[in-house]
Amino acid sequence: MSKGALPVNDGKLSMEGRRKKRAHLSLYTGLIGLAILCLFPFYLMIMYSTHANADIASTFLFFPGGELVNNFTRMVENVDIFRGFMNSFIIAGGSTLLTLYFGGMTAYGFSKFKFRFNTILFLLMLATMMIPAQLALIGSYRWLGMIGLLDSHAAIILPAAANTFAVFFIKQFLDGSIPDDVLESARIDGAGELKIFHRIILPMIVPALAAIGIFTFIGAWNNFIGPLVLLFSEEKYPLPVMVALIQGYYNTDYGLMYLGVAMSVLPIIIVFSLFSKRIMGSVAIGAVKG
Amino acid sequence: MFINRINKGNCGYFFIAPFFIVFLLFGLYPILYSFYLSLTNWDGLNDPEFIGLANYTRAIIDPLFLQSLFNTFFIWIVSVVPQLTVSLVLAVILTNTFLIGKDFFRAVYFFPNIVTAASLGLLVSLMFDWQTGSVNQLLMSIGFLDQAIDWKNNALFMQMLVSAILFFQYFGYSMLIYIAGLQGISPEYAEAAKVDGASKIQIFFKITVPLLKPIIIFQVITSLIGGVQIFDQPYMLTEGSGSPNHATLTSVMYLYRTAFEQGRFGYGATIAFCLFVVIVSLSVISYLVSRNRSKIA
């Protein structure tokens, strides 16, 4: 008996129908309330970034103001926000490309070749997912300094070539949906192993790459402690670190700070509204198989 | 043909080699090197000076480190219990019930999860500002408050606020994982129970929850690993101070401050390893506890 069951000419049933209706109404109220709670802070963030400092300091603001351009001009004069955008794109884009290419390669190696230690190496790799990133932080700091990579984007991008979760995720896909026959027939046609990977496998795993790619991009975009520790030059900071910088320098200029937060979150909002189904799908796949 | 097979098998090494080279260079080696540094005094400039386990004996009696551990776990527990409960209920609602806009609700609840944690921390910090924050102004404009409350001076409130941010960011994520788990459960169980006269609540507690147990354990352990690493939100919320009275100083914030602000890198590395030992022990304990329980049942 779902919502479709209409009350018939029977006192008992119509009472039950009414109770069901009430239950549904309160359920919807709860769900919508929670949805508003999830979005409201971001609504306020955007509204507040369009107001002047004096207004923000004096009243609660619900509607947009006319100070967006002023806030923006002030921000651009003080912080090179476009530089931050570019740095974030370089870091997130570079990390994503490395993760996808080497993740695909590693997953392919584990999935389609029966070499010794295959299972052991794979399990070992999975075990490293338990290790918190902070464990390597201080060692990396000195080690990257010794090899001259400290204060460079490479220090943050390069480790993305060893993304365990991506390997795991892509391997699941390869195991499940790419039959070995495809490889056999390519080999019979005389294709080299690398060529098979580039020409046949990579195009076939595009759906898995797309899912994990969006996820990696968001993760790298949001990375905070890594760049905070490993980069020193302001002109190399990605947006989250730049936002921290804004807080440190201009912490009485509220309009500017709200705008900074809004601009650092905006690309994520756009990515999410474009790919929400895919992002949510990849969360579920990765988790349940684990 | 047989030899050919074996050769092809060995090609696998070629494909996995880059991953392991990068992992050794940027993953494993820095970890081992961190361990070495945890046995030294290192100021970040001069050469590290080997001092054995002195950092470790200092860490286990360092009141600020112990407090940071307490803060971290207190904040984690306060956020994770409602997170895992609310998300389970939501998952059941958004899977089983006939509802309009299921996909919409799922997407909206998940959205906070992908927002930059550092930016969210600053946003909440701005909203809870004593004089200019929107929360005080909203409460005052609807007549709920006569004068502004200095939220940021209340230790317990600030801890709760960090927990609330974590809840806000992660309940949608756990909900999605529960939904995926629920979709793996055959509806026949619930239907059979229904025929036998079980109520919805009975089905939830007697069938859904036990069948979801592996997922619940997975969630507890992954959220534990994530929870121990809390840094971005409290750092931005308190401008890196962990105020008031170190109430929101998490262990990773303490690590960051010790190493990168005070230049005590050796001791910072020690804190990282102590934290790792804590994570591993707690993960093992939670795994064993859940296994024993299932034996009894």
Coordinates of all heavy atoms in Angstrom, one line a residue, chain A residues 40 50 52 86 111 134 177 180 196 210 238 256 259 266 270 277 285:
Chain A
F40 N 21.4 26.9 2.5 CA 21.3 28.3 3.0 C 22.6 28.9 3.3 O 22.8 30.1 2.9 CB 20.4 28.3 4.3 CG 19.9 29.6 4.7 CD1 19.2 30.4 3.8 CD2 20.2 30.2 5.9 CE1 18.7 31.6 4.1 CE2 19.8 31.5 6.2 CZ 19.1 32.2 5.3
T50 N 27.9 40.5 -2.0 CA 27.4 41.6 -2.8 C 27.1 42.9 -1.9 O 26.5 43.8 -2.4 CB 26.2 41.3 -3.6 OG1 25.1 41.0 -2.6 CG2 26.4 40.1 -4.5
A52 N 28.4 45.9 1.1 CA 29.6 46.6 1.7 C 29.8 46.2 3.2 O 28.8 45.8 3.8 CB 29.3 48.1 1.6
M86 N 44.3 30.0 -11.5 CA 45.2 29.3 -12.5 C 46.0 28.2 -11.7 O 46.1 27.1 -12.2 CB 46.1 30.3 -13.2 CG 46.4 29.9 -14.6 SD 47.3 31.1 -15.4 CE 48.9 31.0 -14.7
S111 N 44.8 -6.0 -13.5 CA 43.6 -6.7 -13.9 C 43.9 -7.8 -14.9 O 43.3 -8.8 -14.9 CB 42.6 -5.7 -14.4 OG 41.5 -6.3 -14.9
Q134 N 49.1 12.7 6.7 CA 50.0 13.5 7.6 C 51.3 12.8 8.0 O 52.2 13.4 8.3 CB 49.3 13.9 8.8 CG 48.3 15.0 8.6 CD 47.0 14.5 8.0 OE1 46.7 13.4 8.1 NE2 46.3 15.4 7.3
S177 N 34.1 -5.4 -16.9 CA 33.5 -5.1 -18.2 C 34.4 -5.2 -19.4 O 33.9 -4.9 -20.5 CB 32.8 -3.7 -18.2 OG 33.7 -2.8 -17.7
D180 N 38.8 -10.6 -21.6 CA 40.1 -10.9 -22.0 C 40.3 -11.1 -23.6 O 41.3 -10.9 -24.1 CB 40.7 -12.1 -21.3 CG 40.8 -11.8 -19.8 OD1 40.7 -10.6 -19.4 OD2 41.1 -12.7 -19.0
I196 N 48.3 -1.6 -27.3 CA 47.0 -2.1 -26.8 C 46.4 -1.3 -25.7 O 45.2 -0.9 -25.7 CB 47.1 -3.6 -26.3 CG1 47.5 -4.5 -27.5 CG2 45.8 -4.1 -25.7 CD1 47.8 -5.9 -27.1
A210 N 36.1 8.9 -16.4 CA 35.4 10.1 -16.2 C 34.9 10.2 -14.7 O 35.0 11.3 -14.1 CB 34.2 10.1 -17.1
P238 N 47.3 27.9 -4.4 CA 45.9 27.6 -5.0 C 44.9 28.4 -4.1 O 45.2 28.9 -3.1 CB 45.8 26.1 -4.8 CG 46.6 25.8 -3.6 CD 47.8 26.8 -3.6
L256 N 34.9 41.4 1.2 CA 36.0 40.8 0.5 C 36.1 39.4 0.9 O 36.3 38.5 0.0 CB 37.2 41.6 0.8 CG 38.5 41.4 -0.1 CD1 39.3 42.6 -0.1 CD2 39.3 40.3 0.5
L259 N 33.4 37.2 -0.5 CA 33.6 37.1 -2.0 C 34.7 36.0 -2.3 O 34.6 35.2 -3.2 CB 33.9 38.4 -2.6 CG 34.0 38.4 -4.1 CD1 32.7 38.0 -4.8 CD2 34.5 39.8 -4.7
L266 N 32.9 28.5 -6.0 CA 32.1 28.5 -7.2 C 32.4 27.4 -8.3 O 31.5 26.8 -8.8 CB 32.3 29.9 -7.9 CG 31.1 30.3 -8.8 CD1 29.8 30.5 -8.0 CD2 31.4 31.7 -9.5
I270 N 29.8 24.6 -9.8 CA 29.5 24.4 -11.2 C 29.8 23.0 -11.6 O 28.9 22.3 -12.3 CB 30.4 25.4 -12.1 CG1 30.0 26.8 -11.9 CG2 30.3 25.0 -13.6 CD1 30.9 27.8 -12.4
K277 N 25.2 13.5 -10.8 CA 24.8 12.1 -10.9 C 26.1 11.2 -10.9 O 26.2 10.2 -10.2 CB 24.0 11.8 -12.2 CG 22.5 11.9 -12.0 CD 21.8 10.6 -12.3 CE 20.4 10.6 -11.7 NZ 19.4 11.3 -12.5
I285 N 29.9 3.4 -5.8 CA 30.7 2.2 -6.4 C 31.9 2.0 -5.5 O 32.2 0.9 -5.1 CB 31.1 2.4 -7.8 CG1 29.8 2.6 -8.7 CG2 31.9 1.3 -8.3 CD1 30.1 3.2 -10.1

